[in-house]
Amino acid sequence: MSAGLTPAATPSGADRIVPVRSFDVEAIRRDFPILASTVNGKPLVYLDNAATSQKPRPVIETIMRYYAAENANIHRGVHWLSELATAKHEAARVKVQHFINAAAAREIIFVRGATEAINLVAQSWGRANLRPGDEILVTGMEHHSNIVPWQIVCEATGAILRAAPFSDRGQLLLGEFDRMLTGKTRLVAVTHVSNALGTINPVHRIVQAAHDRGALALIDGCQAIPHMPVDVRELDCDFYVFSGHKVFGPTGIGALYGKEKLLDAMPPYQGGGDMIKSVSFEKTTYNDLPYKFEAGTPHIAGAIGLGAALDYIQDIGMRRINEYENQLLTRATNAISEIPGVRIIGTPPCKASLISFVIDGIHPHDIGTILDQEGIAIRTGHHCAQPVMERLGVPATARASFAFYNTHQEADALVRAIRKVIEVFN
Ligand code: C6P
């Protein structure tokens, strides 16, 4: 790496230059030390943001400061450090609350990531509420994390998992979705943005339709939260989940939002310290929200780091991020569409800033390998969305996914590298 991870001499954030009016991508990039790296002798072009995003200095520094000066266990000690760490951890929860406009901090449960959040709802709400013949409705474009937890709970309860289809372009077939949403449907679980296609689903409408049928709605926001403003109260969703590492925060931390009355009625997911009020062999009573769902010592540094990440992108502004990324998406899509032999997988009208593609006669892994030689990081494979691949009749795709720190030049470098792949194979 040409830029190390040494903390800046200035206090957290003091060296950040985030211009208010114009989108100064070069100034933003200076906040991300890893972006100055070279790979295979070429400047790193990081286009694997849907897998995980890079971390800005304020996040790195916040985590370093936590371990250097603030580390203690939380909710347990009466000593100064424990109270400090507790306050920081709970302040991070409030940051998540405000970021998604939840009504209360107790509606935010810290989890390891979106996967754990969905498993929590499946195991807690699902086991308590699902009966044989009840239905869970997902879409055909879900990540495995929004399929397998429901299959597990369906096996345990006798409920049935159904998947609404999508078109060849990767657009959810709403007519089919509505038809499959019946009086038997107890929960609709839909991705806000598809990680394999980029499709932005009409989640507001989906939530309303679910509620009209008496079903709950869970939204998997993993690929939406880094790219667009999300307001859970406006959406009126019952649950919303996301992972911290995709939104410029650390790995191992994420959030489950749930409406308070639902979370209150749900049994604990895991047992252990911190989720109880009192324990005896005769009777154990559970803690209040959100702690009822947070057994054991949590990822304290992760939560605080996530809070710093949300502060950082809020400073830039989610609308501006969205606008800028749309420019990158349009530029890259137009150029890639012109290359003979390249097919973009996922061309719905509403799309987030990722492009899945295949090239005639060239395996996506070979595309990824040649792009890597050019310093370009993309993901290849099924993207943990095997049903999407099966539906579209491709074994795998190459996927370039953009973040707000990517540049127009990087989009052009991707296009040049795709042309080079074709040259090499021809
Ligand atoms: N998708 C990708 O490269 P975790 O692993 O819990 O942080 O996130 C799971 C997950 C859930 N839903 C969606 C829509 C996702 O995209 C992901 C993670 C990564 O596409 C890694 S497989």
Side-chain angles (χ1 to χ4, degrees):
M1 262 189 335
S2 54
L5 297 183
T6 335
T10 48
S12 170
D15 59 340
R16 284 191 289 153
I17 309 160
V18 179
V20 181
R21 301 239 170 263
S22 67
F23 199 88
D24 187 347
V25 69
E26 289 306 328
I28 286 169
R29 287 175 71 80
R30 285 196 286 277
D31 286 341
F32 290 79
I34 207 168
L35 296 181
S37 309
T38 53
V39 170
N40 293 322
K42 310 268 170 60
L44 168 67
V45 176
Y46 187 77
L47 299 179
D48 196 16
N49 293 287
T52 199
S53 58
Q54 299 303 345
K55 319 304 171 199
R57 236 181 259 285
V59 170
I60 299 166
E61 289 170 5
T62 296
I63 294 167
M64 287 189 59
R65 190 176 52 237
Y66 170 73
Y67 283 121
E70 300 163 351
N71 176 54
N73 211 328
I74 58 169
H75 302 143
R76 289 162 169 84
V78 290
H79 60 83
W80 186 85
L81 265 184
S82 175
E83 284 180 5
L84 178 67
T86 303
K88 296 253 172 181
H89 184 261
E90 294 311 309
R93 196 188 305 277
V94 172
K95 287 176 191 198
V96 176
Q97 176 207 340
H98 291 158
F99 192 76
I100 60 172
N101 195 30
R106 57 189 173 277
E107 294 183 318
I108 307 298
I109 315 294
F110 280 127
V111 285
R112 277 194 299 132
T115 302
E116 188 176 53
I118 297 170
N119 276 281
L120 189 162
V121 178
Q123 290 302 315
S124 169
W125 177 86
R127 279 180 181 264
N129 290 283
L130 292 171
R131 302 285 169 265
D134 285 347
E135 291 181 0
I136 309 271
L137 180 58
V138 297
T139 77
M141 67 177 89
E142 301 307 319
H143 185 279
H144 297 165
S145 292
N146 201 24
I147 299 174
V148 185
W150 305 118
Q151 289 175 324
I152 292 171
V153 77
C154 282
E155 221 168 276
T157 61
I160 297 158
L161 181 65
R162 306 191 73 199
F166 60 86
S167 72
D168 291 347
R169 295 182 67 186
Q171 192 172 8
L172 183 62
L173 295 173
L174 280 171
E176 286 297 300
F177 175 86
D178 287 343
R179 202 182 50 74
M180 294 176 79
L181 182 58
T182 70
K184 290 186 192 164
T185 313
R186 301 296 312 280
L187 179 105
V188 167
V190 171
T191 193
H192 197 160
V193 171
S194 156
N195 70 316
L197 303 164
T199 310
I200 303 176
N201 280 316
V203 283
H204 189 260
R205 184 219 182 271
I206 287 170
V207 171
Q208 274 182 341
H211 288 171
D212 288 348
R213 281 294 193 170
L216 299 181
L218 177 146
I219 307 298
D220 173 357
C222 249
Q223 300 292 351
I225 210 98
H227 303 294
M228 59 193 72
V230 170
D231 182 330
V232 291
R233 275 191 280 176
E234 197 186 311
L235 284 178
D236 197 28
C237 54
D238 300 288
F239 302 104
Y240 196 96
V241 309
F242 70 92
S243 297
H245 69 97
K246 294 196 200 287
V247 65
F248 317 102
T251 49
I253 189 75
L256 162 66
Y257 157 79
K259 283 182 181 164
E260 185 173 351
K261 67 174 188 328
L262 290 170
L263 292 175
D264 243 342
M266 283 160 51
Y269 169 52
Q270 294 177 329
D274 228 20
M275 52 72 71
I276 50 87
K277 272 188 178 150
S278 71
V279 175
S280 74
F281 286 109
E282 290 70 41
K283 183 170 171 56
T284 288
T285 55
Y286 304 131
N287 209 338
D288 297 325
L289 289 177
Y291 313 113
K292 180 173 83 174
F293 291 108
E294 294 180 355
T297 301
H299 186 5
I300 306 164
I304 297 172
L306 173 59
L310 298 182
D311 278 349
Y312 181 85
I313 53 174
Q314 238 163 357
D315 270 3
I316 299 173
M318 292 313 295
R319 281 186 204 288
R320 292 175 65 221
I321 286 175
N322 189 252
E323 227 169 77
Y324 176 74
E325 288 181 356
N326 278 336
Q327 289 172 12
L328 292 178
L329 178 67
T330 305
R331 186 182 182 105
T333 303
N334 289 345
I336 292 172
S337 308
E338 282 176 9
I339 308 176
V342 179
R343 185 158 57 97
I344 294 181
I345 304 292
T347 53
C350 281
K351 226 183 131 172
S353 57
L354 74 84
I355 303 175
S356 259
F357 61 95
V358 290
I359 306 180
D360 289 343
I362 306 175
H363 194 279
H365 290 321
D366 294 328
I367 303 174
T369 306
I370 295 178
L371 263 55
D372 181 52
Q373 287 163 10
E374 298 298 307
I376 302 175
I378 61 160
R379 184 172 172 186
T380 62
H382 54 59
H383 315 295
C384 300
Q386 282 184 329
V388 173
M389 303 296 128
E390 198 179 321
R391 161 66 182 81
L392 295 174
V394 288
T397 73
R399 183 190 70 185
S401 50
F402 296 89
F404 61 88
Y405 44 63
N406 289 124
T407 64
H408 288 251
Q409 292 85 338
E410 288 181 319
D412 296 346
L414 169 69
V415 175
R416 276 197 305 278
I418 295 173
R419 287 188 184 279
K420 187 165 179 183
V421 172
I422 295 170
E423 269 167 40
V424 169
F425 275 84
N426 287 343

